[in-house]
Amino acid sequence: MTPAPGSPGDVLTLISAGSATTRSDLARLTGLARSTISQRVDALIERRLVEETESGESTGGRPPRQLRLHTEEHAFAGVDLGATHCRIVLMDMTGVVLAQCEDPLLIGEGPEKVLAHVDGRLDRLLAVAGRPRAALRVIGMGVPGPVEFATGRPNNPPIMPGWNDYPIPDSFPGVAVLVDNDVNVMALGEHRNAFPTARHLLFVKVGTGIGCGIVAEGRLHRGAQGSAGDIGHIRVNGHEESGCRCGNSACLEAVAGGAAVARRLTELGVPAETGADVVALVQAGDTQALRLVREAGRLIGEVLAGLVNFFNPEAIVIGGALSRVHEHLLAGVRETIYRRSLPLATHHLSIVPSRMGVDAAALGAGILAIEHYLSPDNINKIVNA
Amino acid sequence: MTPAPGSPGDVLTLISAGSATTRSDLARLTGLARSTISQRVDALIERRLVEETESGESTGGRPPRQLRLHTEEHAFAGVDLGATHCRIVLMDMTGVVLAQCEDPLLIGEGPEKVLAHVDGRLDRLLAVAGRPRAALRVIGMGVPGPVEFATGRPNNPPIMPGWNDYPIPDSFPGVAVLVDNDVNVMALGEHRNAFPTARHLLFVKVGTGIGCGIVAEGRLHRGAQGSAGDIGHIRVNGHEESGCRCGNSACLEAVAGGAAVARRLTELGVPAETGADVVALVQAGDTQALRLVREAGRLIGEVLAGLVNFFNPEAIVIGGALSRVHEHLLAGVRETIYRRSLPLATHHLSIVPSRMGVDAAALGAGILAIEHYLSPDNINKIVNA
DNA sequence: ATACTTACGCCGATCAGCGAACAAAGTCTG
DNA sequence: CAGACTTTGTTCGCTGATCGGCGTAAGTAT
């Protein structure tokens, strides 16, 4: 059932969102009596979820005691597992990064090895941050493939051999583990950081492949099988000659993904293998690379133009490796979207590069973890326990 | 704020959904004490929202008194305004149709005339159903264009001259009026009738134009500007020669809409003007028409294949005028979707024709009205008043 | 008939939340 | 600088909603 309004969870939500910093604020916002609020806040303080800081500015009367999240005794991890890397951030309850790390790590080594590595790194990060292992409340994890979110099991992931149906949360006993597609957590992070008030947002990751995270009504849309946002295999005009690893041809990913752009560059006599190579060439001023990136942007924009008509988002954020040369990519994207989408849908549409850089997925995964822990339902459970 | 669990509104929701038919059921489902449930039910009965019927079957003890919605004193209207017609259904609180009507009506006559017509028809339908005007609680209305749902004002509708920004609800003082795009209300109706348990559903209307209603998490997704679902102007492969009224070319609507198919038939020497003509030709066994409808299905399927990857729905329902020959249309749609979408997304996907026929929009609009009235928030307001 | 089961109303006990009164801690003013 | 004023926060008795036990109603099984 939905939590009652004014429950401890609601009160904490207001504090964590920054909507209220004092008991008086809370009383005003919730409509509850000041005495009731005091009770609620006391309970939250007793559970070490909230703390009082030195008094704030007086507005003519007694200065209010400021409230804020009690960050010391809680920690949250955001884990970004890529095909060849592992990034982890350790956060406090407010989303501040306490420690982070990054290693090369082949996801193809299989879940046992990879998750053991993660577990070791978590211990190290906790030590660096000076928190006991017990302080780690929730782990959020982004993986490069579809996941059944409710159970944390990868669902026939194409580039994660050995991971199919593997129950990832079981490898971290005693901690809640939320596993999601990497693009989804990036979308979440970008929404919370850059467009917290937008109701509907798309995050497009342009790396080796192309994927999309969907935020609808402020929450992640994962679809019926958790495969929503898989736009890399949408067909684009022309390009029937480009075969895709999925078996079809003319897939967006096969013509505009980092690997595809690299291959085309190679064909033109400019050797490149990966999206990173392409980025390097563009940054070095290679005009062929620049042209192809912009052309990739146009192709991506063509697909996005359709999705803008369909989904009518407020913002589109472009991230991923290729977005490091986002000026050129975005130019192509914008050009096509504004040409092919309906004016009503594009009028108030922001199309912007990602703000979060390479740590986007890890940060988003951490936010996923924190939001789970601070959700009113969970807080009420903790307080009533 | 969210209503408290076990509130009168929650109780009524359980009764109206058929989850509970007795006080004992309610106590079990809500977890509230039997005495509390009795109070709640009494309040609902007093407000004429619920009634008791003759006792039900005993299961070994005293037979429970059955509860059901008190239908006599409430009525709801679903209005379907099309380009050239007006259909209205009058419903009771459970969605049973009490009376209905259908007239030719040109929406281009402007809001005053059209809405006055609707108002007159409502009086007549209420008379037929033997209910006073005061029994009419909410009017749901579907119109052929984008609407700002919160205010009930059409938003630059292309085929509703004179309606832009017109405050439709003001024309029905004393009654709540909910105005939405016609495709949205059709999607809602189809979801509630045919796929009530599906979380995500797409409804595609193939008429003169092509539009799509989106149900996400069981609720309508309207997008940031209320223009979500406008898939008629998504680009399809080839067909650059087909200009569209929107100014672009190769729009789905311009190659696979009813008007487009009719035009192509005419070019082939088979005279046809509208989608209805096309339907008649197919039903008469014209092979050219049949081929073109199937081809239109393939083109629509191509766009839907991309949307299936993106949105990952559980069901796609095809409706609209052309769906009267749905065998042929659906064949083309299915063919393309299964070829171009990802297996994970299509594995549990149902692609089916609309069940609701020509009254789909009116019925959906009525359901929109009823659900608004029976929403926990609204019921709590009524009971506490 | 009698025991048993289930349904439901009544009523005292309980508890969450309210608001008035009070205490605390500052600013403003003569 | 003292006292009035303002705002914050706590204490505590009050109220009203909810609970759960008991009695009664209304059936079935033996």
Side-chain angles (χ1 to χ4, degrees):
Chain A
M1 301 281 171
T2 26
S7 64
D10 272 11
V11 169
L12 189 68
T13 300
L14 290 169
I15 296 174
S16 91
S19 318
T21 62
T22 71
R23 290 171 173 80
S24 298
D25 286 351
L26 289 167
R28 266 190 296 276
L29 286 168
T30 62
L32 299 180
R34 288 207 311 280
S35 50
T36 307
I37 291 294
S38 267
Q39 278 182 205
R40 294 283 149 79
V41 170
D42 287 349
L44 291 170
I45 290 176
E46 198 184 341
R47 300 281 172 181
R48 304 283 180 173
L49 290 163
V50 165
E51 62 184 357
E52 283 182 339
T53 68
E54 71 296 341
S55 290
E57 291 289 288
S58 162
T59 59
R62 170 175 172 172
R65 275 180 269 172
Q66 302 286 115
L67 301 172
R68 67 173 179 204
L69 295 181
H70 183 91
T71 58
E72 278 74 26
E73 295 172 27
H74 306 77
F76 302 87
V79 180
D80 165 24
L81 293 183
T84 59
H85 70 260
C86 162
R87 292 194 188 88
I88 308 181
V89 298
L90 196 71
M91 292 175 159
D92 73 8
M93 215 192 280
T94 65
V96 169
V97 175
L98 303 171
Q100 55 187 318
C101 68
E102 173 180 354
D103 317 284
L105 180 64
L106 294 174
I107 202 149
E109 304 239 336
E112 285 86 0
K113 274 199 172 181
V114 168
L115 296 178
H117 174 94
V118 170
D119 201 56
R121 285 288 184 269
L122 285 175
D123 277 331
R124 202 149 94 183
L125 291 175
L126 284 161
V128 169
R131 317 240 164 166
R133 177 84 190 202
L136 183 62
R137 311 288 164 161
V138 188
I139 300 172
M141 189 177 294
V143 300
V147 183
E148 191 187 66
F149 180 73
T151 60
R153 293 165 182 254
N155 193 344
N156 292 300
I159 63 167
M160 297 171 68
W163 290 75
N164 186 35
D165 218 30
Y166 189 89
I168 296 175
D170 292 1
S171 300
F172 302 89
V175 190
V177 182
L178 306 175
V179 188
D180 206 338
N181 186 293
D182 54 357
V183 190
N184 285 351
V185 296
M186 292 168 92
L188 184 72
E190 203 67 46
H191 179 267
R192 298 301 192 261
N193 274 300
F195 294 93
T197 62
R199 293 174 54 217
H200 313 299
L201 171 146
L202 296 183
F203 176 88
V204 181
K205 178 189 173 192
V206 188
T208 301
I210 296 177
C212 173
I214 306 166
V215 175
E217 300 288 347
R219 287 159 40 200
L220 282 172
H221 172 85
R222 299 186 172 92
Q225 272 75 40
S227 80
D230 210 332
I231 65 171
H233 302 282
I234 293 182
R235 186 182 195 176
V236 293
N237 268 302
H239 302 280
E240 294 304 324
E241 78 291 349
S242 299
C244 180
R245 59 189 166 91
C246 77
N248 273 306
S249 60
C251 291
L252 177 62
E253 182 167 309
V255 296
V261 172
R263 188 170 34 70
R264 288 170 120 198
L265 267 176
T266 309
E267 286 167 14
L268 291 172
V270 186
E273 274 191 31
T274 67
D277 297 341
V278 175
V279 169
L281 283 165
V282 172
Q283 285 171 337
D286 185 287
T287 53
Q288 296 278 40
L290 200 151
R291 187 178 58 77
L292 283 182
V293 165
R294 189 174 182 122
E295 178 59 21
R298 285 198 198 96
L299 292 165
I300 295 165
E302 195 180 305
V303 166
L304 289 180
L307 298 181
V308 164
N309 284 350
F310 173 76
F311 186 68
N312 188 202
E314 273 163 82
I316 295 180
V317 182
I318 310 283
L322 274 203
S323 74
R324 292 194 211 177
V325 287
H326 57 73
E327 319 88 83
H328 311 291
L329 196 68
L330 271 176
V333 169
R334 289 206 180 98
E335 176 187 326
T336 318
I337 289 185
Y338 286 119
R339 180 155 43 81
R340 290 290 322 183
S341 290
L342 298 166
L344 181 56
T346 55
H347 192 225
H348 295 283
L349 175 66
S350 303
I351 305 172
V352 300
S354 165
R355 284 193 193 171
M356 299 176 72
V358 292
D359 289 322
L363 294 169
I367 290 171
L368 184 68
I370 294 172
E371 290 195 356
H372 170 78
Y373 190 74
L374 294 185
S375 74
D377 274 355
N378 193 48
I379 292 299
N380 288 338
K381 219 180 291 173
I382 294 173
V383 171
N384 295 329
Chain B
M1 302 282 169
T2 25
S7 65
D10 274 10
V11 169
L12 189 68
T13 299
L14 290 169
I15 296 174
S16 90
S19 318
T21 62
T22 70
R23 291 171 173 79
S24 298
D25 285 351
L26 289 167
R28 267 190 297 276
L29 285 168
T30 61
L32 298 180
R34 287 201 314 281
S35 48
T36 308
I37 291 294
S38 268
Q39 276 185 208
R40 292 284 150 79
V41 170
D42 287 349
L44 291 170
I45 290 177
E46 199 185 341
R47 300 283 173 178
R48 305 282 180 174
L49 290 163
V50 165
E51 61 183 357
E52 283 182 340
T53 68
E54 71 296 341
S55 290
E57 291 290 289
S58 162
T59 58
R62 169 174 172 175
R65 274 179 270 170
Q66 302 287 113
L67 301 173
R68 67 173 181 204
L69 295 180
H70 183 91
T71 57
E72 278 73 27
E73 296 173 25
H74 306 76
F76 302 86
V79 180
D80 165 25
L81 294 182
T84 60
H85 70 260
C86 162
R87 293 195 188 86
I88 307 182
V89 297
L90 196 71
M91 291 175 160
D92 73 10
M93 215 193 276
T94 65
V96 169
V97 174
L98 302 171
Q100 55 187 317
C101 68
E102 173 179 353
D103 317 283
L105 181 63
L106 293 174
I107 202 150
E109 303 239 337
E112 284 87 0
K113 274 199 174 181
V114 168
L115 296 178
H117 174 94
V118 170
D119 202 57
R121 284 289 184 269
L122 285 175
D123 277 331
R124 202 149 93 184
L125 291 175
L126 284 161
V128 168
R131 318 238 164 168
R133 177 84 190 201
L136 183 63
R137 310 288 164 161
V138 188
I139 299 172
M141 189 177 294
V143 300
V147 182
E148 191 186 67
F149 180 73
T151 59
R153 292 166 181 256
N155 193 344
N156 292 301
I159 63 166
M160 298 170 68
W163 290 75
N164 185 34
D165 218 31
Y166 189 88
I168 296 176
D170 293 0
S171 300
F172 302 89
V175 190
V177 182
L178 307 174
V179 188
D180 206 338
N181 187 292
D182 55 356
V183 191
N184 285 350
V185 296
M186 292 167 93
L188 184 72
E190 204 67 47
H191 178 267
R192 298 300 192 261
N193 274 299
F195 294 92
T197 61
R199 293 174 53 216
H200 313 299
L201 171 146
L202 297 183
F203 176 89
V204 181
K205 178 188 174 193
V206 187
T208 301
I210 296 176
C212 173
I214 306 167
V215 175
E217 300 288 348
R219 287 159 39 202
L220 283 172
H221 172 85
R222 300 187 172 92
Q225 272 75 40
S227 81
D230 210 332
I231 65 172
H233 302 282
I234 294 181
R235 188 182 193 175
V236 293
N237 269 303
H239 301 281
E240 294 302 325
E241 78 291 350
S242 299
C244 180
R245 59 190 167 90
C246 78
N248 272 307
S249 61
C251 291
L252 177 61
E253 184 167 308
V255 295
V261 173
R263 187 170 34 70
R264 288 170 119 197
L265 267 175
T266 308
E267 286 166 15
L268 291 172
V270 186
E273 275 193 29
T274 66
D277 297 342
V278 175
V279 170
L281 283 165
V282 172
Q283 285 170 336
D286 184 288
T287 53
Q288 295 278 39
L290 199 151
R291 187 177 60 76
L292 284 183
V293 165
R294 192 179 180 117
E295 177 59 22
R298 286 198 197 95
L299 292 165
I300 294 166
E302 194 180 304
V303 167
L304 289 181
L307 298 181
V308 165
N309 284 351
F310 173 76
F311 187 67
N312 188 202
E314 274 162 82
I316 295 180
V317 181
I318 311 281
L322 274 202
S323 74
R324 293 194 209 176
V325 288
H326 56 73
E327 319 89 81
H328 310 291
L329 196 69
L330 271 177
V333 169
R334 289 206 180 98
E335 177 187 325
T336 318
I337 289 185
Y338 286 118
R339 181 156 42 82
R340 291 289 323 183
S341 289
L342 298 166
L344 181 56
T346 55
H347 192 223
H348 295 283
L349 175 66
S350 303
I351 305 172
V352 300
S354 166
R355 284 195 192 168
M356 301 176 70
V358 292
D359 288 323
L363 293 169
I367 290 171
L368 184 68
I370 294 172
E371 291 194 357
H372 170 78
Y373 190 75
L374 294 184
S375 74
D377 274 356
N378 193 49
I379 292 297
N380 288 339
K381 220 179 291 174
I382 293 173
V383 170
N384 296 328

